[in-house]
Amino acid sequence: MSALSAPTTHSRLADVFESCKQQQRSALVSYLTAGDPDFNTSKELLLALAEQSDILEIGMPFSDPMADGPVIQAASERALAAGTHIADVFKLTASVRAAHPDLAIVLMGYANVPYAIGFDDFAARAKEAGADAVLIVDIPPEEGHICDTALKTHGLDRILLLSPTSTDERIQLACDYASGFIYYVSLTGITGADMGDMQSIHQKVDHIKSICGELPVCVGFGVKTPAQAAQVASFADGVVVGSHFVSHITDARNKADIRAALSASASSMRKAVGV
Amino acid sequence: MYKLDITHAPDSGGHFGRFGGRFAAETLMQPLKEIETAFFEAWQDEAFQAERLDLLKNYVGRATPLYHAKQLTAASGGAQIYLKREDLTHTGAHKINNTIGQGLLARRMGKKRVIAETGAGQHGVATATVAALFGMHCDIYMGREDMARQMPNVLRMRLLGANVIPVDSGTATLKDAVNEALRNWVASCEDTFYIFGTAAGPHPYPLLVRQFHTVIGQEARAQILKQAGRLPDVAVACVGGGSNAMGLLHPFRDDESVRLVAVEAAGLGLDSGKHAASLAAGKAGILHGNLTFLLEDDEGQVQGTHSISAGLDYPGVGPELAYMLEQGRLELDAATDDEALEALQLLTRSEGIIPALESSHAIAAGVRIAKTMSADQIVLINLSGRGDKDMNTVFKHLGWMEDGS
């Protein structure tokens, strides 16, 4: 195993964090699953969410989302039931990219989808669609051999996760491998669970930063309220909101309501990280 | 005394060639590492091994017999058929070999709670049994569809004090039970040990499950040498995830004269698309922590499977079996639902032994193979479990009425 250096071209993610730093605020990192609840609605929702976000995570639906809670599991099931293919994920990415040239876009999902179409093909198409980075939940640094070369070749950052169970050795390993940012999972659990104790999250983030140096650290899993987002923003470089945004799709009585609810919610989160 | 050394070990990352590995969420990486460390320490610890072997002997009832099935041999009209009687273990299937081992490991690591997935319910019952024995809290994840077809085992687990949690997500079968158990474990790994039921999952589970089951093949090898004076020509086991197959076949791997045959569930037929034959019809992919053969579509979405036996109804397979297949050390066979039902009746009528539907797949293929061989040859079949749990399914397929008419 050898550590990968960050892509040589200046990355959009680096620009986003630099710009947020200048504005003395955290980045809002927003998540939705591609194709949820259907292609056209998903496109509209992703575009609306992009308006308020610094970084957009676009989820690639998978049949077995093992690290996700009920809200994002249901999102994957809705997207697949609506016939979402990997080509649709790239089409949606390209639509968002066309409308938002400065937004950083992260494709997020599970290993088996990119593995099935081949990591090289996947990385080439992701880059062409306008993605900046990839976050694969079930490829830890130790298994990076199956994707690192392809991602590096096509100039995509690789976001890695750290969690409360990560030892110093693992933090060092992730920092050596990751580029773009570190995604700190705030709790030992699945997406959408209740947030852990804010003070211990703060301490762990400081500890990670002391090991990782310049690499930005974003915090996610369980951020549901603007108050939580504001607290996290006080010590992290970015705040990830996922299940909370997806739940607007789950809760909506009709598709027309979703966009308004999502935009309002994203707007209040965006204000919260700016404090 | 059993052999304590580990042969054919994976690399330090748990890879068997290009298969296996540890494709897990970050939160689970450290707990998995801790289990790996604890396992290697325990495996070298004489006191751990002595307690394990004592339980296998006096609690599980090992060694299980190797039975020369003369009537089944006569009915087949070919090679001599020997059955390794894992159906005679405490709880009625081989699964207890592994749960004793992992249960001891959990206790050694100071864990107070164990969780497990189950398909047919045999692994769930074996886990609940060990939890009762060691005084641990036990939660079992089981697909709702599997609960319906294996109700006797659900009731046994409850009687043993386990909490059976129905899983409705996805296809509501074994793969979804694994997903749900993993989701719980991510949130509870500090005080909880995940007793994984098959020779798959993230490293070290494929190795650990194999090592706890190799007692099957080690006994069978010694027994056949004693009874027949020679090694078998063929060793046969059914494969869902691969725990009983690795248990029987692994100790014969270096015996080049012994053909090793894995029998998958062909369901309604391999051409029907309704089966669970991941080695025969799958392609390499990543699920539940390891790289192995999977039944999936072109874009990596894992497919629903079909088998009459809940224990074989899984879209993946242990990574070491995938490796052995690519290395040419494993032969593939398959049995359909109907062939398994026929084999169940054949063994029951000819020998008075009712096999589990899972094991019936191995019987079906073993008999078919024996027919092509001569009377001086030997086919060894792993009779991995007994059929009591399957009676409702069997009655339904035979068209019998519930009142016995």
Side-chain angles (χ1 to χ4, degrees):
Chain A
M1 296 195 299
S2 67
L4 292 174
S5 55
T8 46
T9 51
H10 199 55
S11 79
R12 226 183 240 109
L13 277 167
D15 290 344
V16 163
F17 287 111
E18 183 55 38
S19 150
C20 287
K21 201 173 177 181
Q22 280 170 10
Q23 296 169 43
Q24 294 184 306
R25 64 180 182 89
S26 277
L28 177 62
V29 186
S30 306
Y31 172 94
L32 282 179
T33 302
D36 174 29
D38 58 64
F39 184 89
N40 289 332
T41 312
S42 178
K43 184 171 164 181
E44 193 190 336
L45 298 178
L46 285 166
L47 286 167
L49 194 55
E51 295 284 347
Q52 311 284 347
S53 309
D54 301 292
I55 300 170
L56 187 64
E57 290 182 347
I58 300 181
M60 301 182 281
F62 180 49
S63 54
D64 294 81
M66 289 152 280
D68 283 302
V71 171
I72 295 181
Q73 282 175 51
S76 244
E77 286 182 16
R78 282 192 299 266
L80 291 174
T84 306
H85 290 274
I86 189 71
D88 299 313
V89 176
F90 295 134
K91 275 184 212 160
L92 289 165
T93 303
S95 300
V96 176
R97 169 55 65 225
H100 298 276
D102 297 330
L103 176 81
I105 301 177
V106 179
L107 291 185
M108 183 169 181
Y110 293 83
N112 202 44
V113 171
Y115 185 80
I117 65 170
F119 268 101
D120 197 60
D121 187 36
F122 168 79
R125 291 165 71 185
K127 185 70 183 181
E128 193 191 350
D132 302 295
V134 171
L135 196 174
I136 307 290
V137 178
D138 52 351
I139 305 183
E142 288 89 337
E143 301 292 356
H145 53 92
I146 67 162
C147 66
D148 285 340
T149 307
L151 298 183
K152 191 181 178 187
T153 301
H154 297 285
L156 291 165
D157 282 317
R158 173 141 128 85
I159 312 304
L160 284 173
L161 299 161
L162 285 172
S163 82
T165 62
S166 303
T167 57
D168 283 1
E169 195 186 347
R170 296 201 56 77
I171 293 171
Q172 185 65 58
L173 184 66
C175 295
D176 288 346
Y177 264 83
S179 60
F181 63 91
I182 287 285
Y183 185 139
Y184 179 64
V185 174
S186 69
L187 51 90
T188 49
I190 50 181
T191 54
D194 290 329
M195 250 196 135
D197 166 53
M198 199 61 80
Q199 198 181 344
S200 62
I201 298 169
H202 187 170
Q203 282 169 359
K204 189 85 177 189
V205 168
D206 284 351
H207 185 61
I208 291 169
K209 285 169 135 338
S210 76
I211 295 176
C212 291
E214 294 296 302
L215 198 58
V217 178
C218 299
V219 174
F221 277 42
V223 180
K224 292 191 185 82
T225 66
Q228 287 172 324
Q231 274 186 293
V232 172
S234 70
F235 57 81
D237 299 298
V239 182
V240 188
V241 181
S243 297
H244 175 70
F245 287 151
V246 175
S247 67
H248 291 299
I249 303 175
T250 317
D251 298 343
R253 291 186 181 269
N254 58 64
K255 286 174 186 171
D257 292 346
I258 306 172
R259 185 186 163 141
L262 182 67
S263 290
S265 175
S267 171
S268 57
M269 287 293 184
R270 172 65 185 76
K271 285 192 188 96
V273 302
V275 175
Chain B
M1 205 54 193
Y2 300 109
K3 261 168 71 176
L4 294 187
D5 58 322
I6 295 175
T7 59
H8 297 279
D11 74 10
S12 62
H15 302 98
F16 302 92
R18 70 181 175 121
F19 299 104
R22 186 178 282 163
F23 291 89
E26 173 62 24
T27 307
L28 294 180
M29 292 300 284
Q30 190 59 24
L32 287 164
K33 180 77 192 164
E34 285 164 14
I35 292 176
E36 179 193 340
T37 304
F39 168 71
F40 280 115
E41 280 172 12
W43 196 254
Q44 305 304 327
D45 179 353
E46 278 182 33
F48 176 88
Q49 293 290 11
E51 185 171 13
R52 186 175 73 92
L53 299 182
D54 178 70
L55 283 170
L56 288 180
K57 183 181 176 195
N58 298 310
Y59 184 74
V60 174
R62 304 206 72 92
T64 59
L66 180 72
Y67 173 65
H68 186 186
K70 290 181 182 146
Q71 286 76 236
L72 184 64
T73 299
S76 309
Q80 303 302 310
I81 297 174
Y82 285 78
L83 302 176
K84 181 59 176 166
R85 298 291 309 274
E86 292 299 296
D87 60 316
L88 293 176
T89 56
H90 176 46
T91 72
H94 71 289
K95 293 289 187 188
I96 188 95
N97 302 322
N98 173 46
T99 60
I100 289 283
Q102 290 197 44
L104 284 170
L105 202 54
R107 198 184 64 184
R108 184 184 172 95
M109 294 174 73
K111 306 293 183 184
K112 305 278 184 248
R113 172 178 176 257
V114 293
I115 57 170
E117 82 293 344
T118 197
Q122 289 303 119
H123 176 59
V125 167
T127 300
T129 299
V130 167
L133 178 65
F134 295 151
M136 292 167 168
H137 183 84
C138 179
D139 289 322
I140 303 292
Y141 293 86
M142 189 169 189
R144 198 178 287 277
E145 189 185 321
D146 290 340
M147 286 177 72
R149 55 180 169 171
Q150 308 281 194
M151 190 44 73
N153 274 343
V154 174
L155 301 177
R156 287 167 80 196
M157 286 184 266
R158 290 203 177 128
L159 201 55
L160 286 159
N163 187 22
V164 183
I165 300 168
V167 176
D168 289 311
S169 61
T171 56
T173 59
L174 182 53
K175 85 171 170 76
D176 309 288
V178 175
N179 290 339
E180 214 51 45
L182 283 169
R183 288 180 189 122
N184 180 277
W185 198 38
V186 169
S188 65
C189 49
E190 198 165 328
D191 71 344
T192 297
F193 190 102
Y194 184 0
I195 298 190
F196 203 77
T198 195
H203 181 57
Y205 284 111
L207 172 68
L208 201 143
V209 174
R210 177 190 94 185
Q211 290 303 115
F212 288 140
H213 278 305
T214 50
V215 62
I216 303 170
Q218 284 167 352
E219 284 176 7
R221 194 175 182 283
Q223 288 165 323
I224 196 85
L225 285 173
K226 195 170 176 191
Q227 289 182 29
R230 58 185 290 259
L231 290 170
D233 298 279
V234 185
V236 183
C238 66
V239 173
S243 64
N244 93 83
M246 285 312 300
L248 180 77
L249 303 181
H250 179 64
F252 290 100
R253 268 165 98 169
D254 295 327
D255 298 316
E256 286 175 17
S257 67
V258 182
R259 290 166 54 195
L260 308 181
V261 179
V263 186
E264 294 190 297
L268 302 181
L270 288 181
D271 297 333
S272 70
K274 293 189 183 307
H275 57 76
S278 29
L279 286 168
K283 60 174 191 160
I286 298 162
L287 181 69
H288 296 152
N290 66 122
L291 202 160
T292 187
F293 283 116
L294 295 178
L295 294 170
E296 61 177 32
D297 69 14
D298 290 344
E299 297 185 359
Q301 306 297 344
V302 180
Q303 300 294 284
T305 51
H306 167 82
S307 170
I308 191 172
S309 64
L312 302 183
D313 212 347
Y314 182 66
V317 65
E320 194 170 11
L321 286 163
Y323 174 69
M324 287 166 69
L325 181 68
E326 278 204 343
Q327 293 292 302
R329 188 59 187 105
L330 188 71
E331 293 175 37
L332 278 190
D333 206 330
T336 62
D337 289 352
D338 288 344
E339 288 168 338
L341 273 169
E342 272 174 39
L344 181 143
Q345 295 170 82
L346 174 66
L347 182 62
T348 303
R349 296 285 174 85
S350 63
E351 299 284 357
I353 299 171
I354 305 177
L357 276 170
E358 289 78 11
S359 320
S360 300
H361 289 72
I363 303 291
V367 165
R368 201 164 54 214
I369 292 165
K371 281 181 200 289
T372 67
M373 297 165 64
S374 60
D376 59 350
Q377 292 182 297
I378 296 172
V379 172
L380 166 66
I381 304 174
N382 201 13
L383 182 44
S384 56
R386 69 178 187 223
D388 309 42
K389 69 185 175 62
D390 295 315
M391 290 303 98
N392 285 340
T393 307
V394 173
F395 294 163
K396 205 180 286 176
H397 280 269
L398 295 179
W400 295 356
M401 306 306 280
E402 273 178 34
D403 63 2
S405 63

